[in-house]
Amino acid sequence: MKYLKPLGLFHELLKSNVITSGRLLGVDIGDKYLGLAVSSDDNRIASPLCVLVRNKSNMDLIAGDLECLAAEFSLAGFVFGIPRCRDRNSVDGGHVKVFADELGKTGKLEDIKYTFWEECFTSKNIDFLLKPFSFSPVQSKTITDKLAAVQILQGYLDFVNKTKQKSKLVLQGDLVS
């Protein structure tokens, strides 16, 4: 696995023409679960995918599951949610970087590039939205984790697509001048 800055990941995908055939996986990393979301074929819309159980002893299993998902969905990159809100160097973000490093050490996801995307209060926002419904605690947690992953990935996709659109407008403006 190779880390790239947020725009770097998107530019890398554009250069290799993977953006039209490679999709992205949004990952919300919690203490017990990984919430996963996948982008549409054109990398504009994020949709919930599934939840994986997470503990320290099953990193190889998680890597294997992600490897299968990468093949099934033609994944070109991962977008890991990282909690950095008010304090840019939040201690909470450390576990996400450690997770990404451990995942890379398995050797199962060599061709996958990844980046981090800020995920302030995603789970809290989803919890708030689900409060009126009568889900069991387990149902609520799995829904929250999947939708938090959607929120992370959609935020990233909106940003890079908006940036890509602005770049096109600037280039068109330069050609007209």
Short mmCIF file of all heavy atoms in Angstrom, two decimals, residues 137-164:
data_model
loop_
_atom_site.label_atom_id
_atom_site.label_comp_id
_atom_site.label_asym_id
_atom_site.label_seq_id
_atom_site.Cartn_x
_atom_site.Cartn_y
_atom_site.Cartn_z
N PRO A 137 -29.25 -2.22 19.50
CA PRO A 137 -27.90 -1.65 19.58
C PRO A 137 -26.96 -2.19 18.49
O PRO A 137 -26.17 -1.43 17.93
CB PRO A 137 -27.41 -2.05 20.97
CG PRO A 137 -28.67 -2.20 21.77
CD PRO A 137 -29.69 -2.72 20.81
N VAL A 138 -27.05 -3.48 18.19
CA VAL A 138 -26.18 -4.06 17.15
C VAL A 138 -26.55 -3.50 15.78
O VAL A 138 -25.66 -3.12 15.00
CB VAL A 138 -26.27 -5.61 17.16
CG1 VAL A 138 -25.53 -6.21 15.98
CG2 VAL A 138 -25.74 -6.16 18.47
N GLN A 139 -27.84 -3.44 15.46
CA GLN A 139 -28.27 -2.87 14.18
C GLN A 139 -27.83 -1.42 14.07
O GLN A 139 -27.32 -0.99 13.04
CB GLN A 139 -29.80 -2.92 14.06
CG GLN A 139 -30.37 -4.27 13.75
CD GLN A 139 -31.90 -4.21 13.71
OE1 GLN A 139 -32.52 -3.58 14.57
NE2 GLN A 139 -32.49 -4.85 12.72
N SER A 140 -28.03 -0.68 15.12
CA SER A 140 -27.67 0.74 15.13
C SER A 140 -26.17 0.93 14.89
O SER A 140 -25.77 1.79 14.11
CB SER A 140 -28.08 1.37 16.46
OG SER A 140 -27.75 2.73 16.46
N LYS A 141 -25.35 0.10 15.52
CA LYS A 141 -23.90 0.22 15.38
C LYS A 141 -23.46 -0.10 13.96
O LYS A 141 -22.62 0.61 13.38
CB LYS A 141 -23.20 -0.71 16.40
CG LYS A 141 -21.70 -0.61 16.39
CD LYS A 141 -21.25 0.76 16.84
CE LYS A 141 -19.73 0.83 16.86
NZ LYS A 141 -19.25 2.16 16.51
N THR A 142 -23.99 -1.17 13.36
CA THR A 142 -23.57 -1.52 12.01
C THR A 142 -24.05 -0.48 10.99
O THR A 142 -23.31 -0.13 10.07
CB THR A 142 -24.06 -2.93 11.60
OG1 THR A 142 -25.47 -3.00 11.72
CG2 THR A 142 -23.41 -4.00 12.44
N ILE A 143 -25.25 0.02 11.19
CA ILE A 143 -25.74 1.08 10.29
C ILE A 143 -24.89 2.34 10.45
O ILE A 143 -24.49 2.96 9.46
CB ILE A 143 -27.23 1.39 10.57
CG1 ILE A 143 -28.11 0.22 10.15
CG2 ILE A 143 -27.68 2.66 9.83
CD1 ILE A 143 -29.55 0.32 10.62
N THR A 144 -24.59 2.69 11.68
CA THR A 144 -23.76 3.87 11.95
C THR A 144 -22.40 3.75 11.29
O THR A 144 -21.92 4.69 10.65
CB THR A 144 -23.59 4.09 13.47
OG1 THR A 144 -24.87 4.34 14.04
CG2 THR A 144 -22.66 5.25 13.78
N ASP A 145 -21.75 2.59 11.43
CA ASP A 145 -20.42 2.41 10.86
C ASP A 145 -20.43 2.48 9.34
O ASP A 145 -19.55 3.10 8.73
CB ASP A 145 -19.81 1.09 11.34
CG ASP A 145 -19.45 1.11 12.82
OD1 ASP A 145 -19.24 2.21 13.36
OD2 ASP A 145 -19.40 0.04 13.44
N LYS A 146 -21.42 1.85 8.70
CA LYS A 146 -21.51 1.91 7.24
C LYS A 146 -21.78 3.34 6.76
O LYS A 146 -21.16 3.81 5.81
CB LYS A 146 -22.61 0.99 6.72
CG LYS A 146 -22.23 -0.47 6.71
CD LYS A 146 -23.24 -1.31 5.95
CE LYS A 146 -24.40 -1.66 6.81
NZ LYS A 146 -25.31 -2.66 6.20
N LEU A 147 -22.72 4.03 7.42
CA LEU A 147 -23.06 5.38 6.99
C LEU A 147 -21.95 6.39 7.30
O LEU A 147 -21.79 7.37 6.57
CB LEU A 147 -24.39 5.82 7.59
CG LEU A 147 -25.60 5.04 7.08
CD1 LEU A 147 -26.89 5.55 7.73
CD2 LEU A 147 -25.72 5.10 5.56
N ALA A 148 -21.19 6.14 8.36
CA ALA A 148 -20.03 7.00 8.64
C ALA A 148 -19.01 6.85 7.51
O ALA A 148 -18.41 7.84 7.06
CB ALA A 148 -19.42 6.66 9.98
N ALA A 149 -18.81 5.62 7.03
CA ALA A 149 -17.90 5.39 5.90
C ALA A 149 -18.41 6.10 4.64
O ALA A 149 -17.63 6.68 3.88
CB ALA A 149 -17.75 3.88 5.64
N VAL A 150 -19.73 6.08 4.44
CA VAL A 150 -20.33 6.79 3.30
C VAL A 150 -20.04 8.29 3.43
O VAL A 150 -19.64 8.93 2.46
CB VAL A 150 -21.86 6.55 3.22
CG1 VAL A 150 -22.51 7.51 2.24
CG2 VAL A 150 -22.15 5.12 2.83
N GLN A 151 -20.23 8.83 4.62
CA GLN A 151 -20.01 10.26 4.83
C GLN A 151 -18.55 10.64 4.59
O GLN A 151 -18.26 11.68 3.98
CB GLN A 151 -20.43 10.63 6.26
CG GLN A 151 -20.75 12.07 6.44
CD GLN A 151 -21.37 12.35 7.82
OE1 GLN A 151 -21.33 11.55 8.73
NE2 GLN A 151 -21.95 13.52 7.95
N ILE A 152 -17.62 9.81 5.01
CA ILE A 152 -16.19 10.05 4.78
C ILE A 152 -15.89 10.05 3.28
O ILE A 152 -15.30 10.99 2.75
CB ILE A 152 -15.33 8.98 5.50
CG1 ILE A 152 -15.42 9.15 7.01
CG2 ILE A 152 -13.88 9.02 5.03
CD1 ILE A 152 -14.99 7.94 7.81
N LEU A 153 -16.31 8.98 2.61
CA LEU A 153 -16.02 8.85 1.18
C LEU A 153 -16.73 9.92 0.36
O LEU A 153 -16.13 10.50 -0.55
CB LEU A 153 -16.41 7.45 0.70
CG LEU A 153 -16.10 7.13 -0.76
CD1 LEU A 153 -14.62 7.33 -1.09
CD2 LEU A 153 -16.53 5.70 -1.09
N GLN A 154 -17.98 10.22 0.68
CA GLN A 154 -18.71 11.24 -0.08
C GLN A 154 -18.08 12.61 0.09
O GLN A 154 -17.98 13.38 -0.87
CB GLN A 154 -20.19 11.28 0.32
CG GLN A 154 -21.02 12.12 -0.62
CD GLN A 154 -21.05 11.56 -2.03
OE1 GLN A 154 -21.42 10.41 -2.24
NE2 GLN A 154 -20.67 12.36 -3.02
N GLY A 155 -17.62 12.92 1.29
CA GLY A 155 -16.92 14.19 1.51
C GLY A 155 -15.67 14.29 0.65
O GLY A 155 -15.40 15.33 0.04
N TYR A 156 -14.92 13.21 0.58
CA TYR A 156 -13.72 13.18 -0.25
C TYR A 156 -14.08 13.31 -1.74
O TYR A 156 -13.48 14.12 -2.45
CB TYR A 156 -12.95 11.87 -0.02
CG TYR A 156 -11.76 11.72 -0.92
CD1 TYR A 156 -10.58 12.41 -0.65
CD2 TYR A 156 -11.80 10.90 -2.04
CE1 TYR A 156 -9.48 12.29 -1.50
CE2 TYR A 156 -10.72 10.77 -2.88
CZ TYR A 156 -9.56 11.47 -2.60
OH TYR A 156 -8.48 11.35 -3.44
N LEU A 157 -15.06 12.53 -2.19
CA LEU A 157 -15.46 12.58 -3.60
C LEU A 157 -15.97 13.97 -4.00
O LEU A 157 -15.63 14.48 -5.07
CB LEU A 157 -16.54 11.53 -3.89
CG LEU A 157 -16.12 10.07 -3.78
CD1 LEU A 157 -17.34 9.16 -3.90
CD2 LEU A 157 -15.07 9.72 -4.81
N ASP A 158 -16.77 14.58 -3.14
CA ASP A 158 -17.27 15.93 -3.43
C ASP A 158 -16.12 16.90 -3.58
O ASP A 158 -16.09 17.72 -4.50
CB ASP A 158 -18.22 16.40 -2.33
CG ASP A 158 -19.56 15.68 -2.33
OD1 ASP A 158 -19.87 14.98 -3.32
OD2 ASP A 158 -20.29 15.81 -1.33
N PHE A 159 -15.15 16.82 -2.68
CA PHE A 159 -14.00 17.72 -2.72
C PHE A 159 -13.20 17.55 -4.00
O PHE A 159 -12.91 18.53 -4.71
CB PHE A 159 -13.11 17.51 -1.49
CG PHE A 159 -11.85 18.31 -1.54
CD1 PHE A 159 -11.86 19.67 -1.25
CD2 PHE A 159 -10.65 17.71 -1.86
CE1 PHE A 159 -10.69 20.41 -1.29
CE2 PHE A 159 -9.48 18.44 -1.90
CZ PHE A 159 -9.49 19.80 -1.62
N VAL A 160 -12.81 16.31 -4.32
CA VAL A 160 -11.96 16.12 -5.48
C VAL A 160 -12.69 16.38 -6.79
O VAL A 160 -12.10 16.91 -7.74
CB VAL A 160 -11.28 14.72 -5.48
CG1 VAL A 160 -10.30 14.59 -4.34
CG2 VAL A 160 -12.28 13.61 -5.46
N ASN A 161 -13.97 16.04 -6.86
CA ASN A 161 -14.72 16.32 -8.09
C ASN A 161 -14.92 17.82 -8.28
O ASN A 161 -14.88 18.31 -9.40
CB ASN A 161 -16.05 15.57 -8.09
CG ASN A 161 -15.86 14.10 -8.44
OD1 ASN A 161 -15.27 13.78 -9.46
ND2 ASN A 161 -16.32 13.23 -7.58
N LYS A 162 -15.14 18.54 -7.18
CA LYS A 162 -15.27 20.00 -7.26
C LYS A 162 -13.93 20.61 -7.70
O LYS A 162 -13.90 21.50 -8.55
CB LYS A 162 -15.69 20.55 -5.89
CG LYS A 162 -16.09 21.97 -5.88
CD LYS A 162 -16.57 22.35 -4.49
CE LYS A 162 -17.30 23.64 -4.46
NZ LYS A 162 -17.76 23.98 -3.11
N THR A 163 -12.85 20.11 -7.15
CA THR A 163 -11.52 20.60 -7.52
C THR A 163 -11.23 20.30 -8.98
O THR A 163 -10.70 21.14 -9.71
CB THR A 163 -10.44 19.94 -6.62
OG1 THR A 163 -10.74 20.25 -5.25
CG2 THR A 163 -9.06 20.45 -6.95
N LYS A 164 -11.60 19.11 -9.43
CA LYS A 164 -11.41 18.72 -10.83
C LYS A 164 -12.22 19.63 -11.76
O LYS A 164 -11.73 20.09 -12.79
CB LYS A 164 -11.85 17.26 -11.01
CG LYS A 164 -11.60 16.68 -12.37
CD LYS A 164 -11.93 15.19 -12.35
CE LYS A 164 -12.98 14.90 -13.37
NZ LYS A 164 -13.42 13.52 -13.39
#
